[in-house]
Amino acid sequence: MKETSPEPMTLPLVPLRDMVVFPRMMAPFVVGRASSIAALEAALLSSEKRIFLAAQRDPKVDEPQAADVHEIGVVATVVQSLKLPNGHIKVMVEGLVRGRVRGWVPAPDHRVVSVEAVAPRPISSPQAAELAPYLQKVLGLFEQYAKLSHQLAFEGVLSSLKLDDPDAFGDMLAGHLPTAIATAEKQGLLETLNPLERLQKLQDLLEIEIEKINIDRRINNKVKKQMERAQKEYYLNEKIKAIHQELGKKDEKSDEVEELKQKIEDAGMPKEVKEKALAELKRLEAMPNVSAEATVSRNYIDWLVSVPWKKASREMKDIRHAERILNEDHYGLVKIKERILEFLAVRQLVTETKGSILCFAGPPGVGKTSLAKSIARSLNRKFVRLSLGGVRDEAEIRGHRRTYIGAFPGQIVQMMKKAGTVNPVFLLDEVDKMSMDFRGDPSSALLEVLDPEQNHAFVDHYLDVEYDLSKVMFIATANVVHPIPPALKDRMEIIQLSGYTPNEKLAIARQFLVPKQVKENGLKAGQAAFEDGAIYGLIERYTREAGVRNLEREIASVCRKIARKVVGKDVEGPVTVTAENLSDFLGKTRFRPGKKGEKAEVGLAQGLAWTEAGGDVLHVETTLMRGKGNLVLTGQLGEVMQESARAALSYVRTRAELYGADPDFYEKKDIHVHVPEGAIPKDGPSAGITMALSILSAVTRVAVRKDVAMTGEITLRGKVLPVGGIKEKLLAAYRAGITSIVLPNENEKDLDDIPEEIRSVMEFHLVEDVDDVVRIALESAPAPLAPKAPPADAVTPPEVSH
């Protein structure tokens, strides 16, 4: 080996990350740090192109200092260098000799060190005798490793090895060690100056690497013997298992199985369900972890243990406390509150009761959904809500069978899992908005859920076990009940929520809506005040609804404008909203209140209609024109309403002579019946007597009283049949200022639901036939007026052609 000068050399330093360069080793690497690039460029400018390479102690340090770099490194010559497009430099270096850092020399832009060459330690005489066998043994191990690893062209390496120089032999072998060996191990070899000791360390490292390769081969052989199908997932799983066996680690799958088994024991499942869960767990244990079937089984068991089987909320049985909570959250709604308190009273007397199934039916915004939340709070039960609007797939209720990819339980089971108890208040919102298609009828799937005789054994397609829903308090909501299938409607106790009167809306606004919106818009209680006149103005001129949702929205709009004024310091002191300045906040009025006719007119009768938004006043106009007896109906009338108009005309034709009209008017005149606001569709039989009176008024030329409104279905014999929505219709009449109401006699029972404030200012006329309506509603009774019992020849109307 070439003698090196003992005098220190001053060389540029390049710290290496995760890499050790040995003497006599050709090593390529990329230089990227600015200081290292500057050091490399300084070396290239020197005549000998020498540089000092030393490994970092911690590769994560970006700007290493003296303590971060090993003292022992290699003095190397830069053989080649290539500048890359990104500014980095790729170099090839050749290690010359070991060197030890004696000190750091200050430099402006790169690291410079004072290096002393380190010569190998001489081998003592006793060690020299052991050297030859060691060289042969290490050489044999290296050949064995090279053949097993299939990574080294060992023939070329062996030809360059020199057995007569143990120092060079050790460095050459160390330079060809695999990258898998830790940097610390390689640095240890570099720092070992005694060639014999270096060969001993090389022997140990090679034996460890050979043992690793042999273990990997044994694992592969074990896996191949166990594999019957060459599946990639199966192969990897078995390999992991074999690795765990070699390392003596416990199988993670057994821990997972034990955990699931404990969850099954703690879930409180019925005996049949528990047996099914344990059988599924046994199947899971026999499956490979990564197989698709194992994922399905694991998800199934997870669902079984996560659904509540025995955990229940402790129910509040204090009736006074429950009543106080209901009154805190909602104004009025006496019947519903009484029903909830009755339920609590029964619960105190009977421990085990069947689940209640209520259906709140009423217009939007009257508080159906919020009332269900209050019921849950008053009972101290969990609350979950399932929206059924637009649901058209039966699987949404019952779930999919596990054979389908991505199968899940239905929404009923999912909501029970969310509740976490077996006795929540379960809200089925918008039950009237469900539809059906080729995927099934979800309303039919709800039959089992909402039947107290069946829902103790509800079967979800995914779980495929019986689940008890009998302790659940189901509450459904609907705007109208007629779209609900009769079988489903039969299973629910329907409670009608009518629209609020103006006084009720005023009370709700004062107690709930105004304080809530003042707080939500960042105002203090003293910064905004609403007079009763302003709230009445909002109710009458800016909203048209049965509930209070839009009323709350308008109150919020006013509060936002007040908040802007407060922030902009445009006002001092509290802002009071009055009926006079309401338009300053909200602009022009959006609705004109329904009004009674300004004067009595021929052919104009006022009816009362029910809509999903509450009641409304309906004006029916009739005019006669020269023609041949054609009946023209306009105003977007539905089929039922058109049939009512034809029945009314037929009745008037049979009674025309008795009412003093031309008996042949239908042969000389065309009759046009129009219901204004033609853009709004209208249907139903309740306008029958209104259209009959309008036609009769036009035929007899006698005006209808302007302060009378009516509702009722008409028959060909002139009988007046009962209709629905009486409370909403009377609220509309009250808002319009109409004080005289004609109702079917059989609707007398509905007057008990009318608030006293309305009944006290209205006069109700209960009628059985159209003759009674004529006496009440026309300005002057036609002469001669027919007797109440029609003559025999007028009972059956003559056949006529329209």
Side-chain angles (χ1 to χ4, degrees):
M1 184 179 132
K2 183 181 176 181
E3 292 282 339
T4 57
S5 174
E7 295 180 2
M9 299 172 282
T10 302
L11 299 174
L13 168 67
V14 173
L16 302 178
R17 295 180 178 181
D18 290 325
M19 181 179 179
V20 176
V21 177
F22 290 88
R24 304 172 183 83
M25 173 183 172
M26 300 291 287
F29 58 89
V30 176
V31 179
R33 286 182 284 203
S35 58
S36 298
I37 291 174
L40 183 63
E41 290 174 345
L44 291 173
L45 292 175
S46 66
S47 58
E48 294 182 336
K49 297 184 179 180
R50 289 191 177 184
I51 194 166
F52 186 68
L53 305 174
Q56 290 184 204
R57 299 181 189 275
D58 184 359
K60 296 180 181 177
V61 177
D62 286 331
E63 296 297 333
Q65 304 301 317
D68 299 322
V69 180
H70 288 284
E71 288 185 358
I72 300 292
V74 168
V75 177
T77 300
V78 179
V79 179
Q80 288 181 348
S81 65
L82 175 65
K83 194 156 188 176
L84 302 177
N86 59 1
H88 297 173
I89 299 177
K90 186 174 183 180
V91 297
M92 173 72 77
V93 299
E94 179 183 7
L96 299 177
V97 66
R98 285 174 175 78
R100 178 181 280 109
V101 177
R102 287 303 181 191
W104 286 55
V105 180
D109 58 351
H110 63 277
R111 300 173 184 85
V112 179
V113 290
S114 175
V115 179
E116 177 186 42
V118 180
R121 290 179 184 172
I123 300 174
S124 61
S125 298
Q127 290 178 331
E130 301 175 11
L131 189 58
Y134 253 112
L135 288 171
Q136 291 295 334
K137 188 171 184 179
V138 172
L139 182 61
L141 287 173
F142 186 76
E143 286 185 22
Q144 185 182 355
Y145 169 74
K147 290 177 181 178
L148 289 174
S149 68
H150 303 291
Q151 295 177 357
L152 295 174
F154 67 94
E155 294 88 354
V157 177
L158 294 177
S159 63
S160 62
L161 292 175
K162 297 179 181 180
L163 294 177
D164 57 343
D165 187 350
D167 183 59
F169 179 86
D171 287 343
M172 289 287 288
L173 283 188
H176 287 86
L177 288 177
T179 55
I181 294 178
T183 305
E185 298 284 352
K186 293 182 179 180
Q187 181 67 27
L189 288 173
L190 184 66
E191 294 178 357
T192 305
L193 302 180
N194 189 312
L196 184 59
E197 292 178 6
R198 198 182 315 146
L199 288 174
Q200 289 172 343
K201 288 187 177 181
L202 273 171
Q203 177 187 346
D204 294 341
L205 288 173
L206 288 171
E207 286 176 348
I208 291 171
E209 290 301 313
I210 290 169
E211 182 62 21
K212 285 181 181 178
I213 294 174
N214 288 332
I215 290 173
D216 193 54
R217 287 197 169 190
R218 285 203 306 272
I219 292 172
N220 289 338
N221 290 334
K222 285 182 182 179
V223 173
K224 286 179 181 177
K225 289 177 183 178
Q226 295 173 6
M227 282 175 54
E228 293 181 359
R229 298 178 182 178
Q231 294 182 356
K232 182 179 179 181
E233 293 85 0
Y234 188 79
Y235 170 75
L236 293 174
N237 179 60
E238 292 299 319
K239 191 167 183 177
I240 291 171
K241 285 171 65 177
I243 290 171
H244 285 169
Q245 290 174 5
E246 289 292 335
L247 296 175
K249 285 187 177 181
K250 191 176 180 181
D251 189 3
E252 293 181 2
K253 184 168 184 178
S254 61
D255 294 340
E256 181 189 18
V257 170
E258 285 300 319
E259 184 182 350
L260 289 174
K261 188 173 183 180
Q262 187 61 43
K263 286 183 178 180
I264 292 172
E265 295 292 339
D266 299 339
M269 301 176 181
K271 182 181 177 182
E272 297 80 5
V273 180
K274 184 176 179 181
E275 289 174 355
K276 185 162 186 175
L278 291 173
E280 191 68 29
L281 184 63
K282 192 173 181 181
R283 287 183 63 234
L284 174 63
E285 196 171 5
M287 296 176 192
N289 269 342
V290 294
S291 71
E293 188 65 24
T295 303
V296 173
S297 287
R298 193 179 298 108
N299 288 342
Y300 176 69
I301 296 171
D302 284 340
W303 272 105
L304 279 180
V305 299
S306 60
V307 171
W309 295 97
K310 65 177 181 179
K311 183 182 177 183
S313 300
R314 187 169 182 178
E315 200 169 85
M316 173 71 66
K317 295 184 178 180
D318 186 347
I319 293 181
R320 292 181 179 176
H321 175 73
E323 185 176 11
R324 186 167 63 252
I325 289 176
L326 291 172
N327 289 331
E328 282 176 4
D329 293 348
H330 290 84
Y331 178 85
L333 306 177
V334 177
K335 279 192 173 182
I336 291 128
K337 293 176 182 176
E338 285 180 356
R339 179 66 183 85
I340 303 306
L341 298 177
E342 289 167 4
F343 172 79
L344 283 177
V346 172
R347 289 288 290 179
Q348 288 193 16
L349 299 175
V350 183
T351 307
E352 291 296 326
T353 59
K354 293 181 180 178
S356 299
I357 297 151
L358 307 177
C359 178
F360 298 156
V366 295
K368 300 184 293 295
T369 304
S370 60
L371 182 61
K373 291 182 182 178
S374 295
I375 290 171
R377 194 161 74 91
S378 66
L379 298 177
N380 194 34
R381 292 191 182 193
K382 297 282 188 179
F383 175 79
V384 287
R385 172 182 171 272
L386 171 60
S387 178
L388 296 173
V391 172
R392 58 180 63 197
D393 187 356
E394 178 249 0
E396 290 281 341
I397 307 298
R398 287 186 175 275
H400 291 91
R401 301 195 183 277
R402 281 192 292 150
T403 51
Y404 294 104
I405 296 174
F408 265 93
Q411 290 288 344
I412 299 295
V413 170
Q414 289 188 41
M415 291 296 112
M416 291 301 295
K417 176 188 174 184
K418 181 180 178 182
T421 60
V422 296
N423 63 339
V425 172
F426 199 127
L427 178 65
L428 299 169
D429 213 1
E430 309 293 355
V431 74
D432 58 326
K433 305 295 191 303
M434 286 188 295
S435 55
M436 59 180 291
D437 63 6
F438 64 92
R439 290 169 290 189
D441 183 3
S443 62
S444 298
L446 278 178
L447 295 178
E448 182 184 5
V449 175
L450 299 181
D451 191 339
E453 301 298 328
Q454 300 179 39
N455 63 9
H456 67 278
F458 171 71
V459 178
D460 183 272
H461 287 161
Y462 182 84
L463 296 184
D464 200 25
V465 293
E466 291 184 352
Y467 187 77
D468 186 5
L469 294 172
S470 62
K471 296 181 177 64
V472 180
M473 184 175 189
F474 286 102
I475 298 177
T477 69
N479 294 131
V480 289
V481 295
H482 60 80
I484 304 174
L488 184 59
K489 194 188 305 181
D490 182 60
R491 284 162 167 77
M492 300 186 292
E493 179 183 345
I494 295 177
I495 300 176
Q496 292 286 345
L497 277 75
S498 303
Y500 295 114
T501 66
N503 287 348
E504 287 174 335
K505 289 183 180 181
L506 175 65
I508 292 170
R510 278 196 309 227
Q511 293 182 27
F512 302 102
L513 305 184
V514 171
K516 175 184 174 185
Q517 290 303 322
V518 166
K519 182 179 179 181
E520 287 187 359
N521 286 279
L523 298 172
K524 297 178 182 177
Q527 290 179 317
F530 286 75
E531 290 186 353
D532 290 353
I535 297 176
Y536 270 123
L538 287 171
I539 294 168
E540 294 291 341
R541 298 195 297 275
Y542 290 91
T543 62
R544 178 173 288 180
E545 57 177 348
V548 293
R549 188 171 290 151
N550 286 324
L551 176 60
E552 182 177 10
R553 201 170 288 131
E554 296 301 328
I555 291 172
S557 179
V558 174
C559 289
R560 287 196 300 271
K561 288 178 170 53
I562 295 175
R564 182 180 175 184
K565 290 184 177 182
V566 170
V567 172
K569 298 182 179 179
D570 297 334
V571 293
E572 294 181 2
V575 177
T576 302
V577 183
T578 64
E580 290 73 23
N581 66 7
L582 186 59
S583 58
D584 297 338
F585 292 96
L586 297 177
K588 295 181 179 179
T589 58
R590 299 192 185 102
F591 301 101
R592 56 179 181 85
K595 294 181 179 179
K596 62 182 179 180
E598 295 182 0
K599 62 179 181 178
E601 296 183 39
V602 172
L604 175 63
Q606 296 176 132
L608 299 174
W610 179 93
T611 68
E612 290 188 16
D616 203 356
V617 177
L618 209 63
H619 297 277
V620 179
E621 302 172 344
T622 302
T623 186
L624 302 181
M625 306 162 288
R626 288 184 181 179
K628 299 180 179 179
N630 295 323
L631 175 63
V632 180
L633 302 173
T634 55
Q636 278 214 62
L637 309 185
E639 289 186 9
V640 175
M641 202 165 181
Q642 292 182 29
E643 290 174 358
S644 295
R646 294 190 184 99
L649 176 60
S650 297
Y651 176 77
V652 171
R653 285 171 59 181
T654 60
R655 312 285 284 180
E657 188 173 359
L658 298 173
Y659 287 136
D662 182 0
D664 298 325
F665 75 91
Y666 57 87
E667 294 181 353
K668 307 171 186 175
K669 303 285 186 181
D670 286 344
I671 300 99
H672 187 167
V673 178
H674 176 67
V675 183
E677 299 193 24
I680 303 174
K682 310 167 190 72
D683 205 357
S686 63
I689 62 172
T690 311
M691 289 190 286
L693 201 68
S694 175
I695 295 171
L696 183 62
S697 172
V699 170
T700 59
R701 307 303 297 171
V702 178
V704 182
R705 287 169 53 187
K706 64 178 181 180
D707 60 341
V708 174
M710 61 201 74
T711 183
E713 181 179 353
I714 189 174
T715 69
L716 284 176
R717 300 175 184 272
K719 298 298 181 185
V720 181
L721 302 182
V723 291
I726 296 299
K727 182 178 179 182
E728 287 81 1
K729 292 175 180 178
L730 294 183
L731 288 175
Y734 177 80
R735 290 194 297 267
I738 298 171
T739 57
S740 188
I741 307 295
V742 176
L743 296 174
N745 190 50
E746 293 184 35
N747 282 117
E748 183 179 7
K749 62 183 185 298
D750 297 310
L751 296 179
D752 295 337
D753 297 332
I754 308 303
E756 181 60 31
E757 63 184 273
I758 294 178
R759 282 191 295 176
S760 62
V761 298
M762 282 191 172
E763 181 183 3
F764 300 103
H765 304 278
L766 302 174
V767 298
E768 293 185 353
D769 55 40
V770 178
D771 288 344
D772 296 335
V773 181
V774 173
R775 290 189 185 92
I776 296 164
L778 290 186
E779 283 279 320
S780 58
L785 183 64
K788 291 193 69 173
D793 60 349
V795 170
T796 304
E799 292 187 4
V800 294
S801 58
H802 294 289

